Amino acid sequence: KSGDSGLPVGSLSFEVEGVHAHDVSAILGERGVCVRGGHHCCMPLMKELGVTGTCRMSFGAYNEKSDIDRLADWLEKVCLTFQ
């Protein structure tokens, strides 16, 4: 799918094992990484996958490589914190 700029956009859904999606999204949000945690209007799929929810980051023409790097850095720290 393309955004308003005509450039490809997408989203990434993920979970951190053992940590609720709302907790992950709150921690990342406090550090300037904007993600959404929850069911994303697909509760039947979440139930089928056996997860309480996921985090989702949407990418667009306005994102820079530094945004993705920040997500990766803080997500790694979240994972290490809850091991």
Side-chain angles (χ1 to χ4, degrees):
K1 184 174 176 181
S2 294
D4 292 338
S5 67
L7 297 173
V9 296
S11 62
L12 171 70
S13 294
F14 59 91
E15 66 173 324
V16 176
E17 187 175 352
V19 186
H20 196 282
H22 290 151
D23 294 331
V24 175
S25 63
I27 293 166
L28 294 175
E30 289 172 358
R31 284 141 183 92
V33 179
C34 297
V35 298
R36 180 173 177 244
H39 300 129
H40 314 295
C41 299
C42 56
M43 183 62 177
L45 175 62
M46 297 294 160
K47 186 175 179 180
E48 182 68 26
L49 294 174
V51 298
T52 58
T54 62
C55 292
R56 183 182 69 205
M57 181 175 187
S58 298
F59 300 95
Y62 50 84
N63 289 113
E64 297 178 357
K65 182 181 180 302
S66 62
D67 297 321
I68 298 166
D69 291 341
R70 188 174 331 120
L71 169 65
D73 290 343
W74 281 109
L75 192 53
E76 180 179 21
K77 290 175 184 171
V78 169
C79 292
L80 292 173
T81 300
F82 288 95
Q83 277 187 342

